[in-house]
Amino acid sequence: METIMEANLSHVKEFILLGFSDLPKLQDILFVILLIIYINILIGNGIIIIITKFDAALHTPMYFFLGNFAFLEICYTSVTLPRMLSDLWTQNKNISLLTCASQLCFFLILAVTESLLLTVMAYDRYVAICKPLYYALIMNNKVCVQLVLASWITGMPIMIGQTYQVFSLPFCNSNIINHIFCDMPPLMKLACGDTSWNEVMAYADSVIFGFVPLLLILFSYNRIFMTIRKLPSGMGRSKAFSTCSSHLMVVGLFYGSGIIAYLQPKTIDLPGTEKMLSLFYTTITPMINPLIYSLRNKDVIKAIKKIIM
């Protein structure tokens, strides 16, 4: 009898993704706001992809990475936002186990890719400023392509394994996910039995793909700022800093929101806050990033003016 009950509990066929159902009067407004955000993300990052691809002046490693980052942002957002829009439009909260698993898997893979790509972009700035005479030799076309491919591929097998581990757990408390998409923390809350191993693996992956890349980024910028301080002219310092400030702002937004969202104490259970933080790093940040890079970069502004005019 116990075996039959366990089998029934572990074979959940679908979940109910509550999303913004706790705000019934704001469903239409939220749909319009999220649709505008998604369109802006597609347009903003799409423009960066186009100008870095077709403007010869931007055919450098820095803009090659920026174009790939813009493409990543579109993919990253498309994992969650279209589903949110669909749920708001149709009011259908059901999501199949396979769809939920796929969403979590792609979200984790793309989050890891973003972390690694931000690290690669920091390394590119480090070589450009700290080793300018060797920049063309170190950051040649082959190396740039290999670094981008490594950023995309490295986390795939581990995140697929992480997703498999989560969905191998029996879900017995409920099939209601009080969140805006299938993320790991709310799913772990629904699992019964011992989840300590899954939590250990999740933290280990966070250290490997989150904390270590962040340390490498901070190390790179420490060396960069030490080099900038030694530059003779104020103009040289200003130019060197301007090429790094945009990237630093994006790093701060990505890691800052992620740390706040995922490292909250377990004793604090505020689903509304969790949803807002998740909404910030899955939608607001990818919308702001193109503005940060374009408004603080003369080459990007010049390339955009060419398209418009």
Side-chain angles (χ1 to χ4, degrees):
M1 182 61 133
E2 240 176 73
T3 309
I4 294 170
M5 284 178 69
E6 285 177 7
N8 288 335
L9 293 172
S10 61
H11 286 83
V12 174
K13 291 183 179 179
E14 66 176 14
F15 294 99
I16 298 172
L17 197 59
L18 291 184
F20 301 103
S21 57
D22 54 337
L23 302 169
K25 295 180 180 179
L26 299 177
Q27 300 290 295
D28 293 339
I29 296 172
L30 284 169
F31 176 82
V32 173
I33 291 171
L34 290 179
L35 181 61
I36 292 171
I37 289 173
Y38 190 45
I39 291 170
N40 283 330
I41 289 169
L42 295 177
I43 293 172
N45 287 287
I47 288 172
I48 287 180
I49 292 169
I50 291 168
I51 63 174
T52 54
K53 180 70 175 175
F54 295 105
D55 193 316
L58 302 183
H59 288 176
T60 63
M62 182 174 78
Y63 294 109
F64 172 72
F65 294 133
L66 180 57
N68 277 276
F69 185 75
F71 174 69
L72 171 63
E73 290 288 67
I74 290 174
C75 296
Y76 179 69
T77 309
S78 296
V79 171
T80 56
L81 246 180
R83 176 77 201 195
M84 290 184 214
L85 290 169
S86 174
D87 289 350
L88 286 167
W89 181 260
T90 63
Q91 293 300 306
N92 180 17
K93 308 297 181 184
N94 292 10
I95 181 169
S96 70
L97 185 133
L98 181 60
T99 304
C100 188
S102 300
Q103 188 181 59
L104 175 64
C105 187
F106 282 114
F107 174 75
L108 292 176
I109 289 170
L110 293 171
V112 167
T113 302
E114 181 155 349
S115 178
L116 296 178
L117 194 53
L118 285 171
T119 309
V120 167
M121 293 168 78
Y123 174 69
D124 172 67
R125 292 300 82 208
Y126 161 74
V127 177
I129 294 171
C130 299
K131 300 183 179 182
L133 298 177
Y134 300 97
Y135 182 68
L137 181 65
I138 296 172
M139 301 303 293
N140 59 64
N141 185 61
K142 184 180 177 182
V143 170
C144 290
V145 172
Q146 287 175 340
L147 287 171
V148 168
L149 286 175
S151 299
W152 280 90
I153 294 170
T154 301
M156 283 187 181
I158 297 172
M159 292 304 106
I160 290 170
Q162 184 77 270
T163 305
Y164 175 78
Q165 282 188 340
V166 171
F167 282 88
S168 295
L169 292 167
F171 295 100
C172 54
N173 294 330
S174 171
N175 70 331
I176 298 174
I177 303 174
N178 190 14
H179 204 51
I180 55 176
F181 66 95
C182 288
D183 200 2
M184 191 174 293
L187 281 166
M188 294 287 281
K189 289 177 184 177
L190 302 183
C192 58
D194 186 11
T195 60
S196 56
W197 173 248
N198 300 81
E199 290 172 7
V200 168
M201 292 304 296
Y203 279 115
D205 290 341
S206 298
V207 170
I208 295 169
F209 296 114
F211 186 65
V212 171
L214 179 59
L215 284 181
L216 292 173
I217 291 170
L218 294 176
F219 174 78
S220 297
Y221 276 105
N222 179 56
R223 297 294 298 273
I224 287 169
F225 291 140
M226 287 174 65
T227 303
I228 289 174
R229 285 177 62 187
K230 296 175 184 176
L231 293 176
S233 67
M235 187 176 291
R237 291 179 185 178
S238 177
K239 187 177 179 181
F241 184 75
S242 68
T243 62
C244 301
S245 57
S246 299
H247 182 250
L248 266 177
M249 290 173 71
V250 172
V251 168
L253 284 171
F254 176 73
Y255 282 101
S257 58
I259 288 169
I260 293 170
Y262 284 96
L263 296 183
Q264 291 183 78
K266 286 188 175 182
T267 51
I268 300 174
D269 188 16
L270 298 171
T273 305
E274 194 176 63
K275 289 179 187 179
M276 291 306 298
L277 287 169
S278 298
L279 192 64
F280 185 83
Y281 66 75
T282 56
T283 59
I284 306 300
T285 302
M287 182 182 69
I288 294 172
N289 288 348
L291 293 174
I292 293 172
Y293 279 113
S294 59
L295 292 176
R296 299 185 62 84
N297 192 304
K298 292 179 181 178
D299 293 332
V300 172
I301 293 172
K302 189 177 177 182
I304 292 172
K305 284 181 178 177
K306 282 183 187 178
I307 295 175
I308 296 171
M309 300 173 71

